[in-house]
Every structure is written in C-alpha cells, then in structure tokens.
Amino acid sequence: MRHYGYFRATKPLNRALYGSIFFITILMATRFSVTFSLSLPICLRTSSIAYRSYPKHLLKSQSCPLWSSSFSLCLHTLRSKSTTVNPRRPISATVRSFSASSTVSGPSSSKMSATEERNSNPLLEDFDFPPFDRIEAKHVRPGVRALLKRLEGELEELEKTVEPSWPKLVEPMEKINDRLAVVWGAVNHLKSVKDNPELRSAIEEVQPEKVAFELKAGQSKPIYNAFKAIKESPEWNSLSDARKRIVEAQIKEAVLSGITLEDDKREKFNEIEQELAKLSRKFEDNVLDATKKFEKLITDKKDIEGLPNTALGLAAQTAVSKGHENATAENGPWIITLDAPSFMAVMQHAKNRTLREEVYRAYVTRASSGDLDNTPIVDQILRLRLEKAKLLGYNNYAEVSMATKMATVDKAQELLEKLRSSSWNAAVQDMADLVKFAQDQNAPEADNLNHWDISFWSERLRESKYEINEEELRPYFSLPKVMDGLFDLAKMLFGINVEPADGVAPVWNNDVRFYRVNDSMGSPIAYFYFDPYSRPSEKRGGAWMDEVVGRSRVLSRDGTSVRLPVAHMVCNQMPPVGDKPSLMTFREVETVFHEFGHALQHMLTKQDEGLVAGIRGIEWDAVELPSQFMENWCYHRDTLMSIAKHYETGESLPEDIYKKLLAARTFRAGSLSLRQLRFATVDLELHTKYVPGGSESIYDVDRRVSGKTQVLPPLPDDRFLCGFSHIFAGGYAAGYYSYKWAEVLSADAFSAFEDAGLEDEKAVRETGNKFRETILALGGGKAPLEVFVAFRGREPSPEALLRHNGLLSAAASA
C-alpha cells in the first residue's frame, strides 16, 4: 500500500543528493512503448496479479460500483436482445463485427454454416459491448479459432498489398489487432472474475494458437519493412508526435519480437514465447487454486475474539455458502479464507495468536507445495526469460524490459537504493516503537514479535496513538457514498458527469454496475463497468482496471467520429452483509480511488490514434501516475467529508477523526516503503543477477534482498515468490520498481494542487483542467516526461513524495 502525507518540508531537499540523480538523467533513458498486440490487465494495487491493457504485453487495470442520483439521461434502447445500444447520440465506442463467415469452409449437413455459427456464438457477434452474460466456455474454442482464421487471412492479404502509408499499413493493422484484443480480452476477463475448470481448459487449448498468430504478425517482414520505410521517408518530419511514436514503437517491438533473428533462432524464440505464456497461465491458476483451497472452520467464538462484526458477518456468510446453513455472525460457525478481506481481518484484529500464525503461514506459502507448487514454474520462467534476452542480444531480461520503459536498469536500481536508505532508519524506529508498545501492554509475545504479530500490534498502536479504529470507521464509508463522492470529485476536477447506465450493457455478475461518463454538455465520452466485491470461489484477488475497448478514430462505427473508450474496474472488498451495504475500510477507499485514476486516463483521452490513446503506448513506469495521484484526494478534507457519511444516520465523519486520519498518514511510512522496495528489488535481482540452476535459489535471493529491506527477516519457509503474480503472471517482470518511479511523478503532480491552494476551488478546478488536458488527454502520444513537463512546467522532483511520506529529513541527511 502507498501512503502519502500533506506535511510541509521543514528544510529543503538536497537535490544534488537525490533529485538530480533521478530525473536529470531520465531524458536520456526515455523509451517508446507501443505494440499492436493484445491487451492484458493493469494492476494497481495489492500483491496479486496486476495487468495492463494494451497490445501484446500491455496490461489493464482496476474498477468500482457507483451510485448516483443524478441520472438524467434515458437508458439506451437495446439494439439487440442483450448487447448493443442505441444511445441518444451514436455510441462510437463499438466493436466491429467479428463475423467468421470467411473462415468456416466446407458445406455439411451435420455442421453449422458460417452464418449459423456466428449467430450462435456470442464471441462472433457484431456487438457494441461484449455479451458477458452469454459467453460460456463452449464458445471459446470455436469462436477464437474462427476469428484467428479470419484474421490470418486478413494479415496475409495485408502483407501482399502493404504500402508504407498510414491508410495502407497502420490502420489495417490496428483493426486486425483490435478485433483479437476485444474478443480475447473478454474471454480472459471472464477467467479472472468468473473462473471455472471448463473455461480454463478452453483457454489453455486455444492460447497457443493465439500466441502463434501474434508472433506471426509481430515477425512479419513486409510489415516491418513498411514501418521502417515510413521512418526513412521524406514525410517523416511532417508526422505528428503520436504517429512518430507509433512507428518507432512498432519497429522496436518487432525487434523485441524476434524479427531480426535467424530462422533457427527465431524458431527457438517462438518456442520460448509459447512456453512462457503457458507457464504464466499455470502460475496464476495455481495461486488462485491455492487461495481457494485454504479454509479454516471455527466453531468456538473465543477462537475468533477480536474480529470486528463485519469480519464475523463475512465469515458466517462464507460458512453459509459452504453448506453451514444456520451460520450467523454471532454464533457461527465461521470460515476464514485467504481472500483479502478475511485474511486482513485476522491479521489485524484476531487476538488468537495461534490463528494469526496459521493463517499467515498459509498465506506466505501459497502455491509452494504439492500439485500447486510454483517453485519449478518460477525457475523455468526465469530460465526462459534469460534465454530470450540472450537471443535478442541483451545481457539479461531486465534490459529487455527496460527497452520500452522510461528508466534503465541502473537508474531503477539507483532510485530504489535512495528510497531504501531514506526509509531504513524510520522502519527500524517503527519496529522499536511496536516492541515497546507491546511490552507496555504486557503482551506475552512482546520480546519476540513475529510476522503474524506486526499487523495486529500496529493496529493497536495506531488506535492508541491516533485514537483511530479502522473497523469503527467502516460505517462512515459505505460504497454508495464513496462512489457519489468520487464522482463529484471527478466532476469538479475534470468537468465530467458519471451516471448509472445499468441495463445498457450485459454484465457477468449481478453485483456489477455499469456507468456512462458524459462531458459538461451531457454527451457520452466513455463507459465503464465496476465489479467491487470479493468472490473467492471464482474471482482472483487484488484490484485492477482493464480496457474493454479503446478510443479510436479508425474503429469508429460510423467512420466519422471516434469509437468511445470502455473500461472495467475490479476490486475485492467486503461485500454487503445482511441488509448493510458494503462498508469499506479507508484502505479500500484508497483502492477504489486508485483504480478510478487508471480508468480516467483510459476514458478521458483525447488522442484519436488508437495505438496511443488512453493508457496505450505509455511507458510502463509512468502508467501509475494518475492512479496514485487520485489516492491523495482521500486525504483532502472536502473530498473526504463528502464521502464519509454514516450509512444509517447520515452523520458526517467527526472533524477530530479527520484530523487524526491526516496525522496518521505517515504512520509506519518507513516500514510500508521498505515492503514495496523488497518486492521491487527482488524483482530486479531475479531478472539481472539470478542464474537459474546456479548456487543461489530464488529463495536465497529473496532472503539476501530482505536483509536490506526488512527489519524483521522473513520466515525460513516464506515462499511469497510463489504467489508474486505481478512479475510471474502479470506485466511487471523487471518492472515492479514502476510503482515507486511513478510515485515520484504522482506526488509531484499532486503538489501542483497544493501549490495552487487546496482550499481555493477556482484554482483547483483550473489545475484539474490542466491535468486533464495533459496527463489524462495526451495518452501515449507524447513521451511521459514531456507530458509531465507540459503539466507541471518543470521536470519532476522527489521532494513531494518524501514530504508526503514524512521521510524528507531522512533523505536530506542521508
């Protein structure tokens, strides 16, 4: 988790020590990152998988449900039974027809015709919004194969007729890749939120065929040569920045896809890519299955003493779903799981130390034994990534990763070390404070605090020091009010209106909400889904925002306007219990704001070139800027007071509690910083120095890194790497440092609002409009450093991040 504070610096930062090292050299490290491939998800929170939504390696991210009473536009009339809509103004955010008519051959009385298959398979329909309510596992194999066959034909035809011009090269490639991205994205999304064995099996079977098509497209010599011809043409200098970035990115991506390799090496490269895709999928399946596998049935109430009512209600609700029909929050039985709401409640509040230890050990050893053991999978992934890097002429996989990022390996490592040295002493003091507090409470474990004690005693210390009990704050943070306040903030900052549009688009679960985003004139500019609640039996953990479709001029249905962007945000917070709405912790509020920040960058883009619109084409280590920026508003008084209303009485959060929340913002900031730095550092170590099969195991590397990034050493049997989906099943391989890199950007961006005056609404609106017109509007059409300078008027400084975290003095004296 990331926490920022508003405290002003007491003395200036020594930029010679820190700032200049980090950002002055960034200009030389800038990379372009755009591909024509398929979109993956972008995660932006927790330690579960995080993806990102764009082409080939691109990921997508997070979501939330919104309740608003301001819905004034009529719901769209559905154009077909369950999918398309006919809004007041044409929705250009539509997906083109995925007709398979040209791909199914051979008449047969026992087989469906192409038209019949298209009509019976929702993946092949002409839809505006994916028919999530009707897509089943049985549709995946025939649907994806029919689509791939059609797209292969289109690719072959393009290779024969390609010319080095935008209409004859880029536009047809965008259409080909978008069709696959939308269909595969819908299928993969369902696997993340509605997992089942049949869907897994279907995806596993067709994924190699999908990867093979991507490789074929990425290694097309005619297309590669056409892109190079554009760059070498006399017209190059007249192209827009966005188009130049697209061309340069495609050339680079083709090289990284193995196009320049000799035939035998290219064949080996392709084998590696197929195997990596298979291993990553298996890794994530194992994490999900291991998480689902753990259930702790509790029948004696004294064993769960300390758990708040919300957690007891969830545990009883889980028990009911597992066949204990008479389970109640008061009398049980209760079932504890490793899903985030349940796990965190035990770690923070259970007085039963034995229970805390059991649940903690289960969590840090997930997917590390038996049939679900990810250890050999991690080793194989690292071996193949290194082999891939060597084939491409790089020393290690981190260099491959950095080829499309802002940073270099050296600069990323330099940043992590500077932050580590600024955080270490504060983290040591955090532990000392915790030990002393536990001793003062006469805790038996005080002189031997272990990992399963840290969260519990941290919560008690925070309650004592700031008189804040996070569970007691839940009634003030009901999901409907949080969403209303978030939408009001977006209206004030960016001039948009978010309105419920349930019924316009099919959804995959009854809890999913659908929203329309309108401009100040009432015209729709984007749409998004929000899936807020934890469903441990079918939904993977974490929170993310993902792209459904992106803004695009080329993919406009009417050919004159643009296709509007559609996103989905996914969270895993506590669902409603009984007749109560979902009551959120403050951290869950931050998560919703975070994911909405990602969605805003996707939805408010004004870039019409689809390949660099929204989050597409933005260097990975800059993509967290809007999400982390939005978290800061959770501490803004007017914003917080607008969402913090007691769900029963409507009473506002007391002013003294707000001030305590603000004061507690830097509580254990050093420890929280080191936690993220451990993840980022071990990621880079594994992708730069680790030798698969060498003298060190992956766990040896983690323990070595932990020696510098954890005050309390990890358990000997800690196997958190087996659940580190970010880097082994997501898009953060040799890129987890991006969270910290982007934190510098986001904190400095928010400081522009502090400089303008957070209590000056006119100044905040003006600064918000500037943020929208630069950070949110320009997408990947300009280099992120240029975009930042356009907003801030200067290059980034780390001062705001250190100040917000209360670590400024430590950095200045380091």
Side-chain angles (χ1 to χ4, degrees):
M1 297 289 181
R2 288 159 299 286
H3 294 267
Y4 317 112
Y6 285 151
F7 303 113
R8 295 285 175 185
T10 56
K11 60 181 180 178
L13 177 70
N14 184 347
R15 285 194 179 86
L17 169 69
Y18 189 83
S20 60
I21 293 176
F22 177 37
F23 270 108
I24 291 178
T25 54
I26 230 178
L27 286 168
M28 301 175 64
T30 301
R31 296 286 185 272
F32 298 103
S33 167
V34 185
T35 72
F36 273 118
S37 224
L38 303 185
S39 51
L40 308 167
I42 288 185
C43 170
L44 309 146
R45 202 97 184 154
T46 80
S47 59
S48 66
I49 183 170
Y51 299 167
R52 178 165 153 199
S53 192
Y54 343 136
K56 195 163 176 180
H57 327 301
L58 304 183
L59 303 187
K60 310 177 181 184
S61 302
Q62 305 133 333
S63 67
C64 328
L66 314 176
W67 281 255
S68 170
S69 59
S70 62
F71 185 40
S72 59
L73 298 180
C74 62
L75 290 179
H76 303 325
T77 302
L78 297 182
R79 185 163 34 170
S80 68
K81 185 168 78 173
S82 64
T83 54
T84 48
V85 298
N86 181 17
R88 193 174 63 175
R89 178 185 109 157
I91 249 188
S92 304
T94 55
V95 178
R96 291 184 177 270
S97 169
F98 296 106
S99 166
S101 58
S102 62
T103 68
V104 182
S105 59
S108 169
S109 59
S110 63
K111 296 182 179 180
M112 291 186 294
S113 68
T115 301
E116 290 172 329
E117 182 171 356
R118 180 174 71 251
N119 292 338
S120 66
N121 193 322
L123 292 175
L124 300 174
E125 291 176 359
D126 178 11
F127 54 73
D128 291 317
F129 302 106
F132 287 120
D133 58 336
R134 293 187 293 116
I135 298 173
E136 299 178 29
K138 66 182 181 181
H139 300 127
V140 173
R141 292 178 181 89
V144 172
R145 283 173 174 153
L147 178 60
L148 286 173
K149 188 171 182 181
R150 174 184 175 181
L151 296 180
E152 284 171 1
E154 293 184 6
L155 179 63
E156 290 171 2
E157 181 62 25
L158 176 59
E159 289 178 322
K160 294 175 186 176
T161 61
V162 68
E163 296 176 10
S165 69
W166 218 257
K168 295 289 188 177
L169 169 63
V170 183
E171 292 181 3
M173 277 301 297
E174 182 180 346
K175 292 175 183 178
I176 289 172
N177 282 275
D178 187 83
R179 290 170 189 172
L180 184 53
V182 172
V183 170
W184 187 259
V187 169
N188 218 40
H189 173 69
L190 286 175
K191 183 179 179 298
S192 294
V193 296
K194 201 171 184 179
D195 182 61
N196 62 69
E198 294 77 20
L199 183 58
R200 277 192 194 183
S201 177
I203 290 175
E204 181 178 355
E205 189 173 321
V206 297
Q207 186 181 50
E209 299 165 44
K210 188 268 297 187
V211 173
F213 173 78
E214 289 181 311
L215 289 167
K216 183 177 181 181
Q219 295 172 354
S220 169
K221 284 290 180 67
I223 291 172
Y224 173 64
N225 290 332
F227 273 113
K228 289 202 300 181
I230 288 180
K231 186 170 184 181
E232 295 164 1
S233 71
E235 289 76 32
W236 173 251
N237 289 332
S238 65
L239 293 182
S240 66
D241 289 346
R243 291 192 169 188
K244 285 180 179 178
R245 276 175 61 86
I246 288 172
V247 171
E248 290 178 327
Q250 293 310 309
I251 293 171
K252 178 179 283 292
E253 199 60 44
V255 173
L256 294 176
S257 295
I259 197 167
T260 60
L261 298 177
E262 307 261 338
D263 290 345
D264 57 336
K265 289 184 177 180
R266 190 183 310 146
E267 184 177 342
K268 181 63 178 175
F269 179 92
N270 292 349
E271 290 175 2
I272 290 173
E273 291 288 81
Q274 287 282 10
E275 187 63 16
L276 283 172
K278 176 182 175 182
L279 290 169
S280 291
R281 185 189 65 246
K282 179 61 175 172
F283 182 99
E284 185 58 27
D285 288 346
N286 285 350
V287 173
L288 179 59
D289 289 345
T291 302
K292 291 194 296 185
K293 187 177 180 179
F294 179 88
E295 291 180 6
K296 176 70 175 178
L297 177 65
I298 297 176
T299 57
D300 191 334
K301 192 164 188 176
K302 73 175 187 298
D303 290 337
I304 53 170
E305 186 180 355
L307 286 189
N309 290 334
T310 51
L312 293 173
L314 176 63
Q317 195 165 275
T318 303
V320 171
S321 71
K322 301 292 183 180
H324 301 273
E325 297 179 2
N326 298 320
T328 65
E330 184 173 352
N331 299 315
W334 306 270
I335 288 182
I336 301 300
T337 71
L338 297 183
D339 206 48
S342 180
F343 171 75
M344 289 306 300
V346 171
M347 289 297 100
Q348 293 177 334
H349 302 290
K351 294 182 179 180
N352 184 341
R353 193 185 187 214
T354 301
L355 175 64
R356 297 201 307 265
E357 178 179 357
E358 180 182 356
V359 173
Y360 179 84
R361 286 184 180 276
Y363 190 84
V364 298
T365 57
R366 285 181 305 162
S368 65
S369 62
D371 295 339
L372 302 178
D373 190 0
N374 273 339
T375 304
I377 293 177
V378 169
D379 248 4
Q380 184 73 340
I381 287 174
L382 292 171
R383 183 186 69 77
L384 290 172
R385 285 176 178 171
L386 179 59
E387 190 174 354
K388 172 182 171 179
K390 298 286 189 181
L391 282 172
L392 293 173
Y394 291 91
N395 294 314
N396 52 60
Y397 185 77
E399 291 182 357
V400 176
S401 174
M402 301 294 182
T404 52
K405 293 183 172 65
M406 291 177 72
T408 62
V409 174
D410 288 345
K411 295 307 169 189
Q413 291 173 330
E414 196 167 31
L415 169 65
L416 296 180
E417 175 54 27
K418 291 296 179 183
L419 292 178
R420 190 202 68 80
S421 63
S422 298
S423 305
W424 180 260
N425 288 342
V428 170
Q429 186 60 51
D430 287 344
M431 180 59 76
D433 292 344
L434 210 58
V435 170
K436 184 178 185 307
F437 179 75
Q439 290 172 337
D440 291 344
Q441 305 305 306
N442 297 315
E445 66 265 31
D447 294 327
N448 188 32
L449 291 185
N450 217 315
H451 292 279
W452 46 86
D453 302 315
I454 302 303
S455 293
F456 177 82
W457 285 109
S458 293
E459 284 302 300
R460 307 291 81 75
L461 176 57
R462 183 166 64 163
E463 291 167 2
S464 172
K465 188 173 183 178
Y466 302 103
E467 298 178 332
I468 292 177
N469 182 314
E470 219 177 64
E471 284 299 317
E472 292 177 1
L473 292 181
R474 278 188 189 268
Y476 289 97
F477 296 118
S478 67
L479 182 59
K481 285 294 184 184
V482 169
M483 299 315 295
D484 278 345
L486 177 58
F487 295 154
D488 287 344
L489 175 65
K491 180 177 182 179
M492 190 263 289
L493 291 177
F494 310 125
I496 59 173
N497 289 288
V498 180
E499 297 184 336
D502 296 312
V504 171
V507 295
W508 52 91
N509 184 282
N510 289 337
D511 291 329
V512 176
R513 301 297 308 273
F514 189 68
Y515 296 91
R516 177 174 53 213
V517 180
N518 298 324
D519 63 19
S520 59
M521 302 300 291
S523 298
I525 56 175
Y527 298 81
F528 70 98
Y529 304 81
F530 181 54
D531 183 354
Y533 308 132
S534 168
R535 296 189 298 275
S537 65
E538 63 179 13
K539 183 179 177 183
R540 69 173 172 81
W544 64 94
M545 166 269 162
D546 209 342
E547 170 186 305
V548 181
V549 299
R551 180 181 172 97
S552 172
R553 170 187 53 82
V554 171
L555 291 164
S556 160
R557 188 179 284 275
D558 60 19
T560 58
S561 57
V562 294
R563 182 180 70 178
L564 300 183
V566 182
H568 41 64
M569 295 186 344
V570 182
C571 293
N572 266 286
Q573 65 200 55
M574 189 175 290
V577 176
D579 58 356
K580 296 179 181 179
S582 175
L583 301 178
M584 305 167 69
T585 66
F586 187 68
R587 288 171 184 164
E588 288 172 340
V589 174
E590 287 181 297
T591 297
V592 168
F593 273 61
H594 179 108
E595 300 310 330
F596 192 60
H598 282 299
L600 285 171
Q601 189 168 37
H602 174 64
M603 297 188 297
L604 300 191
T605 184
K606 293 187 176 180
Q607 177 59 252
D608 291 343
E609 296 291 347
L611 293 170
V612 288
I615 55 178
R616 294 184 175 190
I618 297 176
E619 281 73 354
W620 194 265
D621 37 12
V623 80
E624 294 292 334
L625 193 170
S627 55
Q628 294 177 153
F629 163 82
M630 287 298 294
E631 290 182 45
N632 288 280
W633 293 100
C634 296
Y635 293 90
H636 178 234
R637 186 188 180 284
D638 291 349
T639 300
L640 186 66
M641 290 304 187
S642 74
I643 65 177
K645 307 286 185 183
H646 197 283
Y647 79 100
E648 290 179 313
T649 67
E651 172 195 4
S652 295
L653 186 75
E655 182 70 25
D656 64 320
I657 294 182
Y658 165 70
K659 290 179 179 177
K660 290 171 183 175
L661 268 176
L662 201 60
R665 196 174 185 189
T666 59
F667 179 62
R668 293 181 59 79
S671 300
L672 294 170
S673 176
L674 283 188
R675 178 179 181 272
Q676 288 295 88
L677 292 169
R678 174 199 177 188
F679 297 160
T681 305
V682 76
D683 171 33
L684 283 184
E685 285 286 309
L686 289 173
H687 288 105
T688 53
K689 299 176 182 177
Y690 174 67
V691 179
S695 59
E696 269 193 322
S697 71
I698 57 174
Y699 305 119
D700 292 333
V701 174
D702 182 36
R703 280 189 285 273
R704 174 163 53 78
V705 168
S706 296
K708 296 181 66 178
T709 56
Q710 279 195 248
V711 177
L712 184 63
L715 298 177
D717 57 346
D718 187 316
R719 297 292 184 267
F720 105 91
L721 288 173
C722 288
F724 199 2
S725 298
H726 274 77
I727 69 171
F728 295 119
Y732 285 84
Y736 199 89
Y737 77 90
S738 299
Y739 281 103
K740 285 299 181 184
W741 189 276
E743 259 190 288
V744 172
L745 301 173
S746 62
D748 197 7
F750 186 75
S751 72
F753 291 81
E754 294 175 316
D755 293 346
L758 288 171
E759 307 311 316
D760 184 340
E761 185 172 324
K762 181 174 182 292
V764 168
R765 287 178 183 273
E766 290 174 352
T767 309
N769 182 65
K770 189 174 183 181
F771 187 90
R772 176 182 176 177
E773 294 301 315
T774 52
I775 306 294
L776 301 181
L778 297 177
K782 282 186 177 293
L785 185 59
E786 293 180 36
V787 174
F788 186 91
V789 171
F791 168 66
R792 200 69 176 94
R794 57 164 173 76
E795 293 181 14
S797 163
E799 180 175 350
L801 174 61
L802 294 170
R803 171 167 51 83
H804 289 175
N805 284 339
L807 301 173
L808 188 60
S809 58
S813 61

